[in-house]
Amino acid sequence: MKKSLLRAALLSIICLTVALLHGQSGATPTDDPFLWLEEAEGPRALAWAQAENERTLGSLESDPRYDRFYQDALTILQAKDRIPSVSLTRQGLENFWQDESHVRGIWRRTTLESYRGQDPRWETILDLDALAVAENKNWVYKGHSCLGRRCLVKLSDGGKDAVSIREFDSEAKSFVAGGFQLPEGKQSVSWIDRDTVLVARDWGEGTTTEAGYPFVLKELKRAQPLDQAREVFRGQRTDFEILPWVFDERRMTGVARRINGFERQYVLFGPAGPIELDLPKKASIVGIASGRLLVKLDEDWIRSGDTSFKAGSMISYDLAEWKQDPLRAKPSVVFEPNSRQALRGFGSTRNFLVLTILDNVQSKGIRLQVRSRCLACHTSPAAGECDRKPISHFRASG
């Protein structure tokens, strides 16, 4: 709770600083009195942030409402009747749980039958509190990525952005001896196969952005030293960061290059070399459903001729067609908001796509089903109508 308050306070201070800087219309980079704050890891900037955090926390704690708000929030966070959020895996339903007895948390598993009952029986996979005691570290769990039973677990010492990544066997419930182990750093990793991963991290001098995140992506084999990893992509130092991009059951790989906080570029690694995807900079590839690749647009996009898509829309591509030639595949509209709507999220089942939207500030759900007729005509040049204009390959259902 205290850390959350500190982060909120620091964010407010940073926003105020930015506002003051914008107010100095005549300021240039050379006469900016706050230029030293650009050095995110600089001693002066860190000392300033710590001093401001302490001052802000003191101000908050002196408020007579502080203790009541703190205890109310803690009671909610540690409530025993919380509904555990789960993810479905081949081994069962998994959940990460924290309470007063598990401050750092436990990664655990149960069955669907047990989860449906009043008191699910949980099997602990990894106890972060016990691990922290055993290794004398202040471990904070930052998530995991699995390929079958083998998982890459991210652990942060104290909650910072930099993490250590270690291979873990979720059935044996132990770290893999001689497995993948990446030392602490601001990094991202994705499986390609059991013995290969894509890693974006600090590889040495000149491989991190001005923000301190990686812009060089390499392919690393099992038991291979880091200095022998093969470079597969290099962004620019002015980028925010790059992230490995692996999807479609790991049959396709690439990189998501985050140019800044709002814009990104997707590059697909193909047999003939890297392919920059034909997407606007303010777009996100968000998943696959019913054999279609889903993309969310955060800006208007005029693709070619009279084909245009509205900001806030979700569009889709036939995955088989897109994989054959991603630059020529034709997108279609899945959802287009009106002036009072906004797309919030989505989920998918074997046969349906479920969208959650805000409609005049009210949450609503939309269930969509694949339009098999138009899927067929879309992939056949002789079909006519479906090839002349963008259409939705999903239809409302129920």
Side-chain angles (χ1 to χ4, degrees):
M1 179 67 179
K2 291 184 178 180
K3 288 182 179 178
S4 298
L5 291 171
L6 290 175
R7 292 192 189 98
L10 182 56
L11 180 61
S12 299
I13 293 169
I14 292 173
C15 291
L16 177 60
T17 302
V18 171
L20 290 172
L21 289 175
H22 278 291
Q24 298 174 353
S25 56
T28 64
T30 54
D31 60 16
D32 182 352
F34 300 103
L35 193 61
W36 50 273
L37 282 171
E38 296 293 331
E39 298 180 31
E41 302 293 334
R44 185 181 177 189
L46 291 175
W48 176 85
Q50 182 177 354
E52 291 299 313
N53 282 343
E54 292 174 354
R55 184 167 71 91
T56 303
L57 183 60
S59 177
L60 291 172
E61 289 180 330
S62 65
D63 189 298
R65 300 167 297 175
Y66 176 84
D67 287 336
R68 176 168 55 86
F69 288 162
Y70 181 92
Q71 291 302 325
D72 288 348
L74 195 61
T75 299
I76 293 170
L77 288 172
Q78 295 181 347
K80 298 293 187 182
D81 58 352
R82 285 176 290 151
I83 300 174
S85 176
V86 295
S87 57
L88 179 62
T89 72
R90 292 178 182 178
Q91 289 78 27
L93 301 181
E94 296 184 358
N95 162 259
F96 188 76
W97 182 263
Q98 292 174 280
D99 57 30
E100 71 276 12
S101 301
H102 306 94
V103 177
R104 291 174 175 81
I106 50 173
W107 173 17
R108 59 186 189 171
R109 177 191 299 134
T110 190
T111 65
L112 179 58
E113 181 182 2
S114 179
Y115 183 71
R116 285 172 168 166
Q118 292 293 324
D119 187 18
R121 298 180 303 277
W122 294 97
E123 168 194 3
T124 298
I125 302 172
L126 179 62
D127 186 328
L128 269 294
D129 294 88
L131 182 67
V133 171
E135 299 184 349
N136 193 28
K137 292 282 190 177
N138 184 18
W139 287 133
V140 174
Y141 172 76
K142 291 284 188 173
H144 65 270
S145 171
C146 296
L147 179 61
R149 61 189 286 176
R150 295 294 181 92
C151 303
L152 297 171
V153 177
K154 298 179 182 180
L155 300 171
S156 168
D157 190 2
K160 52 193 170 185
D161 287 350
V163 296
S164 300
I165 299 178
R166 295 155 65 178
E167 186 176 359
F168 185 83
D169 187 324
S170 64
E171 290 189 13
K173 304 174 187 176
S174 62
F175 289 100
V176 177
F180 286 109
Q181 186 164 335
L182 304 176
E184 183 181 83
K186 293 178 181 178
Q187 57 188 326
S188 298
V189 61
S190 290
W191 291 101
I192 294 180
D193 57 45
R194 183 182 173 89
D195 297 312
T196 315
V197 293
L198 283 178
V199 184
R201 60 169 285 119
D202 182 352
W203 300 99
E205 185 176 356
T207 62
T208 58
T209 65
E210 294 172 354
Y213 293 90
F215 69 88
V216 176
L217 183 69
K218 295 189 179 185
E219 181 185 274
L220 181 68
K221 297 288 187 179
R222 182 176 296 280
Q224 185 179 41
L226 286 176
D227 60 7
Q228 294 181 18
R230 179 176 68 91
E231 182 174 322
V232 293
F233 183 83
R234 180 176 290 257
Q236 299 178 18
R237 190 168 185 272
T238 53
D239 293 342
F240 180 71
E241 67 174 336
I242 63 169
L243 299 166
W245 179 49
V246 180
F247 72 110
D248 190 29
E249 298 298 323
R250 297 175 174 81
R251 289 190 291 267
M252 305 195 75
T253 62
V255 63
R257 174 184 164 224
R258 293 185 63 192
I259 300 170
N260 51 48
F262 304 97
E263 299 179 316
R264 67 184 64 204
Q265 171 196 52
Y266 287 95
V267 177
L268 182 67
F269 301 152
I275 302 172
E276 181 180 344
L277 299 186
D278 178 25
L279 288 173
K281 291 292 189 291
K282 295 180 181 178
S284 302
I285 297 177
V286 293
I288 296 173
S290 301
R292 300 194 66 82
L293 183 73
L294 304 177
V295 179
K296 183 177 181 298
L297 302 177
D298 292 319
E299 64 175 312
D300 293 339
W301 183 30
I302 301 177
R303 185 172 183 266
S304 61
D306 61 351
T307 304
S308 62
F309 302 97
K310 185 178 178 181
S313 297
M314 176 181 281
I315 62 174
S316 75
Y317 294 84
D318 176 81
L319 184 60
E321 181 186 8
W322 185 87
K323 287 164 66 175
Q324 186 175 4
D325 189 343
L327 300 183
R328 293 182 181 273
K330 298 179 181 179
S332 63
V333 176
V334 176
F335 169 78
E336 181 178 285
N338 62 31
S339 60
R340 290 182 175 273
Q341 293 178 332
L343 178 63
R344 297 192 66 190
F346 77 98
S348 62
T349 67
R350 180 175 300 175
N351 300 311
F352 297 98
L353 177 68
V354 181
L355 305 181
T356 55
I357 68 169
L358 281 179
D359 190 347
N360 200 25
V361 204
Q362 291 185 330
S363 293
K364 291 185 178 181
I366 302 175
R367 187 173 68 168
L368 305 173
Q369 188 174 26
V370 175
R371 295 174 62 181
S372 57
R373 178 188 64 81
C374 283
L375 274 174
C377 75
H378 184 69
T379 57
S380 171
E385 181 183 358
C386 287
D387 286 313
R388 289 201 298 268
K389 59 183 179 180
I391 59 162
S392 174
H393 293 275
F394 295 90
R395 62 179 174 82
S397 175

